[in-house]
Amino acid sequence: MVKTLLQEATEFAEELTKWRRYLHRHPELDMTLPETVAFVKEQLKEMGIACTVSEKAGYVTALIGEGKPCFLLRSDMDALPVREESGVEFASENGCMHACGHDLHATILLGAAKLLKAHETELKGCVKLLFQPGEETFHGGKAAVEDGILENPHVDAAFAMHVSSTVPVGLIGYGPEPMSSVYGFKITLTGKGGHGSTPEICVDPINAGVQIYLAMQSLIARECPSAEEAVLTIGQFDAGNAANIIPERAVLQGTLRTFKKEIAEKMIHRIEEMINTVAETYRTKAELEVLYNVPAVNCTEDVIKECVDSIQELNPDFQILPLYHVMGSEDFAFISECVPNAYFAVGAGVDDQSKWVGQHNPKVQFHEASLPIGAAAYAKVAMDWLAKHAEE
C-alpha cells in the first residue's frame, strides 16, 4: 500500500491535469464560487462520495470512512482579481486568475478523495474533506470554523498544503511556524480641500498621510525588538486627481505581519495611537478600518513528524526539509488555533527556471507533476494518522 498510493495517483495524472485546467480556466473570487463548487460536487458524485455545501460559509465538505478519530484535509479554491499573462494554453479569460495555485489545491484534494474512496475499507476512522472559498480575502477559514466545520464529527487533527511556484517538484517544506499573522488596515484621512495656491486655508490630508507613513516605518525600526520578525507595508496611498487641487481625502491601506501574538498586539496598539496622534497634529480626521486580523499558522510538532514520515515513505527521493517559514499569511490559521495540525509546502516550479516568478504574479506558472504528489501525500498522511491514533 505504501507505494501503491503514489502509483495510483500517477496512473490518473491525466485526469488530475484535466480537472486542474478546467478550474484554471474558470477562476472565481472570494466566497461565492458557483462554477467551482458545482465542478467539485460533480467530481465527488462521480466518485460515489456524498457532499454538502454550507449555505452560510460556501464551502464543500464530505466524509470518507466512519467512526473515530476524524482527520481533516483542507484545500482552498478561490482565485485573485489578476488578469492572466502566463501564456499557457488554458489561461483564464475572465479577468481573474488562479495566480496562487488554488486550482492545484482543489485538484489535489479531489485526487486524494479518489484515493481515499478506493481505500475506504482500510480507514481506521473517517477523513473529512474541506474545499474552502475565501482564503485570499481571509473570509473563508474563519467562516468555516464558525459554521462548525470542526464538529459533527469532531475533528481530531488537520492537514493542508500549499504549492510553491519557486520550489522544484519533489521538494516539500515544513515548519512549526510556516506562515505569519496578518493585520490588514485602511486609513481614511479627511481634511479640507481647495486650490493648490492657498494651502494655508486648506487642511491637506496628503501631508498627514505622508507623516503617518513615515511614522509607521519607525515602529519596526525603533519599537519592535530587533530579534523579532515583523513587516509593515503600506500597499496603497490614494489621494487627489489634479496637480493644482488639494483633495478632501486621502486613503492608505496596509498590512502588519509577525509570528508572535504579543508583538502583533503591541504593534497594532501603536498603529492606532500613531494614526490618531499624527492626524490630530495635522488637523485631519482619521478613520481606521480593520480589514482582517488573522493569526499565524502554528503547527503541532508531533503531527508534523508523523506527516513527514508518511510522505517520505511515498518516495525516498523526496526532499522533505524544515524550510517553511515565510511572511505570507493563510487563514488555515483559524483551524490551526483549534486542533493539532500540520501545514506543508509542495514544490511546483516549472522545468524552465527562467520562468519562475512568485505567487500572485500574472505570469506565474505551476508544474502539474505536483498534482499526483500532492494527492498521494494528502491520502497517505490521513490514512497513517488514523491508523496510528485509532485506539487513543
Side-chain angles (χ1 to χ4, degrees):
M1 189 275 289
V2 166
K3 295 191 181 294
T4 304
L5 286 175
L6 186 53
Q7 289 173 349
E8 287 179 18
T10 303
E11 287 169 1
F12 62 82
E14 186 175 337
E15 188 172 26
L16 291 170
T17 297
K18 180 181 177 182
W19 293 342
R20 183 262 166 148
R21 294 187 179 188
Y22 174 87
L23 292 171
H24 192 86
R25 285 192 185 99
H26 301 87
E28 296 174 295
L29 304 179
D30 201 12
M31 296 292 287
T32 305
L33 315 176
E35 287 188 67
T36 305
V37 167
F39 181 81
V40 169
K41 287 175 61 180
E42 180 183 356
Q43 305 317 311
L44 292 174
K45 182 179 179 181
E46 289 185 6
M47 298 175 201
I49 301 172
C51 66
T52 59
V53 180
S54 168
E55 293 183 5
K56 291 182 180 179
Y59 59 82
V60 181
T61 187
L63 285 175
I64 303 174
E66 59 183 14
K68 298 179 180 180
C70 176
F71 192 84
L72 176 72
L73 294 175
R74 174 269 198 179
S75 281
D76 41 23
M77 53 183 183
D78 57 318
L80 287 158
V82 171
R83 186 170 294 280
E84 184 160 358
E85 300 174 14
S86 68
V88 298
E89 62 182 17
F90 49 90
S92 163
E93 298 178 355
N94 68 0
C96 302
M97 180 186 178
H98 274 293
C100 201
H102 295 188
D103 52 332
L104 283 86
H105 297 173
T107 299
I108 283 169
L109 189 52
L110 283 172
K114 185 167 183 172
L115 291 170
L116 290 166
K117 186 63 177 178
H119 294 272
E120 188 168 20
T121 59
E122 301 170 38
L123 297 178
K124 307 299 182 183
C126 69
V127 181
K128 183 181 288 190
L129 310 179
L130 168 58
F131 295 85
Q132 180 204 302
E135 191 282 324
E136 296 292 0
T137 56
F138 304 118
H139 294 146
K142 186 176 182 180
V145 171
E146 291 176 347
D147 193 49
I149 188 62
L150 299 179
E151 302 300 333
N152 301 314
H154 173 75
V155 170
D156 297 289
F159 180 75
M161 290 198 301
H162 203 301
V163 293
S164 175
S165 60
T166 57
V167 171
V169 173
L171 194 154
I172 296 167
Y174 66 92
E177 295 178 320
M179 304 281 265
S180 77
S181 67
V182 59
Y183 170 78
F185 57 91
K186 177 180 180 180
I187 307 163
T188 302
L189 300 168
T190 304
K192 182 179 178 182
H195 201 285
S197 66
T198 56
E200 71 279 5
I201 64 172
C202 304
V203 177
D204 188 352
I206 294 179
N207 184 41
V210 168
Q211 302 304 323
I212 287 173
Y213 175 88
L214 293 173
M216 282 190 175
Q217 304 313 303
S218 71
L219 285 178
I220 303 299
R222 287 293 174 265
E223 298 193 30
C224 182
S226 58
E228 299 296 340
E229 298 167 286
V231 174
L232 198 161
T233 298
I234 300 297
Q236 180 193 33
F237 194 144
D238 184 29
N241 53 25
N244 63 344
I245 299 173
I246 293 174
E248 196 82 6
R249 289 181 180 81
V251 175
L252 293 83
Q253 292 196 76
T255 57
L256 169 73
R257 300 172 191 269
T258 185
F259 287 94
K260 290 187 178 178
K261 185 177 181 180
E262 59 269 26
I263 297 296
E265 290 176 347
K266 175 185 175 182
M267 291 295 104
I268 290 169
H269 176 69
R270 288 293 289 128
I271 286 171
E272 294 171 353
E273 283 188 337
M274 190 169 284
I275 290 169
N276 292 327
T277 300
V278 175
E280 184 177 358
T281 299
Y282 292 92
R283 299 179 298 142
T284 56
K285 176 185 176 183
E287 296 180 13
L288 174 64
E289 178 185 352
V290 179
L291 303 176
Y292 37 78
N293 193 357
V294 181
V297 177
N298 286 297
C299 300
T300 312
E301 292 284 0
D302 290 347
V303 179
I304 291 173
K305 185 179 184 307
E306 291 174 31
C307 293
V308 168
D309 292 344
S310 290
I311 296 171
Q312 192 71 77
E313 288 179 354
L314 287 171
N315 187 339
D317 293 331
F318 285 162
Q319 289 184 284
I320 307 178
L321 304 173
L323 302 176
Y324 200 12
H325 182 75
V326 300
M327 298 303 292
S329 304
E330 236 282 7
D331 73 355
F332 182 75
F334 292 110
I335 293 173
S336 78
E337 281 191 316
C338 300
V339 297
N341 72 95
Y343 188 88
F344 284 26
V346 59
V350 295
D351 293 332
D352 184 353
Q353 291 194 18
S354 69
K355 295 182 178 180
W356 283 14
V357 295
Q359 260 102 308
H360 291 218
N361 186 302
K363 293 182 172 62
V364 70
Q365 296 183 30
F366 298 94
H367 205 311
E368 291 169 335
S370 62
L371 296 174
I373 294 173
Y378 265 42
K380 181 71 161 57
V381 161
M383 293 181 72
D384 287 354
W385 191 92
L386 290 176
K388 182 173 181 178
H389 296 273
E391 298 180 0
E392 293 181 0

